[in-house]
Amino acid sequence: MLTIGQLAAYAGVTARAVRHYHQIGLLPEPERDASGYRRYGATAAVSLIKIRTLADAGTPLSEIGQMLEADASTFAEAVQRIDGRLRDEIERLETSRKQIAQLTAGDNLALPPEVISYLDRLREIGVSERIVDGERDGWILVAARWPDHIREVMAGKHAQLDDPQMVRLYRVLSEISEDDPPDGLLEEAADIMAGLAEQAYTSGGINVGGMAYDDLAFDLLDALVLETDPRAQRLVDLMRERGWTGWNRLERLAEPPGQPLS
Amino acid sequence: MLTIGQLAAYAGVTARAVRHYHQIGLLPEPERDASGYRRYGATAAVSLIKIRTLADAGTPLSEIGQMLEADASTFAEAVQRIDGRLRDEIERLETSRKQIAQLTAGDNLALPPEVISYLDRLREIGVSERIVDGERDGWILVAARWPDHIREVMAGKHAQLDDPQMVRLYRVLSEISEDDPPDGLLEEAADIMAGLAEQAYTSGGINVGGMAYDDLAFDLLDALVLETDPRAQRLVDLMRERGWTGWNRLERLAEPPGQPLS
DNA sequence: TGGAGGGTTGACGCTACGTCAAGGTCAAGC
DNA sequence: GCTTGACCTTGACGTAGCGTCAACCCTCCA
């Protein structure tokens, strides 16, 4: 007669596992000896080995009991089910591995390559790291909201960088984001933005289907800028003076500036 | 400002998940509005998306916090660790799939093919299903104890089946295992066994290195027989009268039968 | 003004055990 | 007979990542 430890050792499991199988009714509780110890016979050893065989093959404990009593066809059916689950799980993990491989290449954090190259180009232009970080976070929001439009949008943004005015704007914004920016820069930035907005307005700007102007994401983008640097509010105000409202999605004010709206 | 449900929807998770991230300190608790609702800004949305990106790639939540603050090399290191764990997990599941594929082929329950063919041969010979089941359980114990010797052992057992006496023994045992066996069969079985034992004894029998005669497994095998059918005890007694002790591991008695041992 | 559809905290559930805690038991050596 | 170490007992909490009640409060819309 075996003690629980001997039985467990024979089957290559821990005593705790055996007790667990008792608890869930998978292995019947054996007789106790005079001192209360569990005492096992050979059939228990056989049962335990069968249980471990199925468990090692990926069978959930909750199904092992039925499988041990099942006929051949029911058994085969169960095996199919379990194999299918294993396959799904493997597939999931393979997907995870692919995704994590994408993350290895720097701090891109799930951003598509188009965005990464745009950020790199900003750095080349001399845009401050602080601004680039802000851009990155913004694009994270955009990529989450419109994963299928991101390439189109980025193509447009890349083109915009060919305009020297846009480059100038980014550089001015970089200076503004410094701890102690020179005076007058805010106004200069607002002037450039207003010019670019005018240009975009007449040429039609970047219009991508599926990106509705009243989308929550635009509000989030605007909010993100203000959360990142509250001084941005000043720029918004200056733009309003110049006849534009909003930030990531500039719109021409209906009323001329200086006039009360109501 | 977003409610928890809106934030969750934006990132493609459930509100419960967001609360969970608060609980474990992965995402900071936001301000509450007048009615106690959590109110989130854009940075929270960015953080949440970053968290999900890493989590979807298989990063444990407990490590995501540090990863988001890590520099590039620390980050890459962590990615390596996680990828390694994913690889291990996939390997484990692949192994499970292979094992479960083995189980598909009938009721073999992880027995090596040599044992399966032996059991099949027993059935061909006309051995009762009850005896075959008992044999199967016995071989499960043997295979668990000596997985590396099972082929050797089975070769010997296959050879034994070429002896008509052994075939006769199995058939007699089959009859005995019936609910109402004829008289005298036990004696016949004992006679055959004694003869076979004598034969094995003079020829040296099956000796496989690594299988010590005092092994616990032999006790288990003997116990298994008695647990499966207590009437086997009668056969053990008859064998003792014929000068043999044990069952799966017969040994010649030192004293002649009928003499007191002390 | 009522009801639907949000939100709040608190708690248990899931898997397959690992790991204490606080004892009682057994076998061996002195 | 005593100690010591290894083993047994039950009970309970911990793990990962949330899902799912329960019981209640808040908001918005017809």
Side-chain angles (χ1 to χ4, degrees), chain A residues 190 193-194 197 234-244 250:
Chain A
M193 285 185 70
R234 275 292 297 144
L235 254 178
V236 173
D237 294 342
L238 290 174
M239 286 302 288
R240 178 168 284 268
E241 286 175 15
R242 283 157 182 75
W244 296 91
L250 288 171

Side-chain angles (χ1 to χ4, degrees), chain B residues 71-223:
Chain B
D71 58 81
S73 77
T74 313
F75 187 92
E77 219 172 277
V79 164
Q80 282 302 317
R81 271 207 320 278
I82 294 158
D83 189 57
R85 284 203 288 260
L86 285 176
R87 228 182 25 230
D88 291 351
E89 182 70 4
I90 289 173
E91 211 164 323
R92 256 200 37 216
L93 294 179
E94 302 270 20
T95 311
S96 284
R97 279 200 74 189
K98 280 178 203 152
Q99 290 178 344
I100 210 168
Q102 300 284 324
L103 297 184
T104 324
D107 66 337
N108 48 11
L109 265 180
L111 282 171
E114 292 85 4
V115 176
I116 303 295
S117 68
Y118 181 74
L119 296 178
D120 285 343
R121 199 160 155 210
L122 289 185
R123 288 197 191 85
E124 282 168 26
I125 286 169
V127 175
S128 74
E129 205 53 36
R130 201 177 298 193
I131 295 281
V132 174
D133 281 356
E135 285 276 331
R136 175 167 48 72
D137 286 355
W139 291 114
I140 285 177
L141 290 179
V142 173
R145 180 64 187 83
W146 297 287
D148 297 332
H149 294 90
I150 195 79
R151 297 191 57 167
E152 266 179 281
V153 176
M154 292 318 298
K157 293 299 290 184
H158 265 285
Q160 285 183 1
L161 271 191
D162 294 334
D163 185 341
Q165 285 301 95
M166 186 60 86
V167 174
R168 176 75 191 140
L169 173 61
Y170 265 118
R171 286 183 178 143
V172 171
L173 288 173
S174 288
E175 277 197 74
I176 293 173
S177 74
E178 298 293 309
D179 285 334
D180 201 13
D183 286 345
L185 275 181
L186 279 171
E187 285 72 14
E188 187 180 347
D191 286 339
I192 303 174
M193 284 184 70
L196 287 167
E198 190 71 37
Q199 217 174 294
Y201 188 78
T202 53
S203 75
I206 306 169
N207 283 323
V208 175
M211 290 172 61
Y213 252 28
D214 61 345
D215 200 286
L216 170 67
F218 284 113
D219 297 335
L220 273 183
L221 285 170
D222 289 359

Side-chain angles (χ1 to χ4, degrees), chain B residues 4 7-8 11 13-15 17-30 38 40-52 61 64-65 68:
Chain B
I4 195 169
L7 174 75
V13 301
T14 65
V18 175
R19 293 199 193 96
H20 182 62
Y21 301 153
H22 290 324
Q23 246 183 8
I24 63 176
L26 188 51
L27 194 64
E29 281 271 3
R38 293 176 178 86
Y40 298 89
T43 45
V46 173
S47 297
L48 183 53
I49 292 169
K50 288 181 182 172
I51 289 170
R52 282 315 310 171
L61 297 188
I64 290 182
L68 287 177

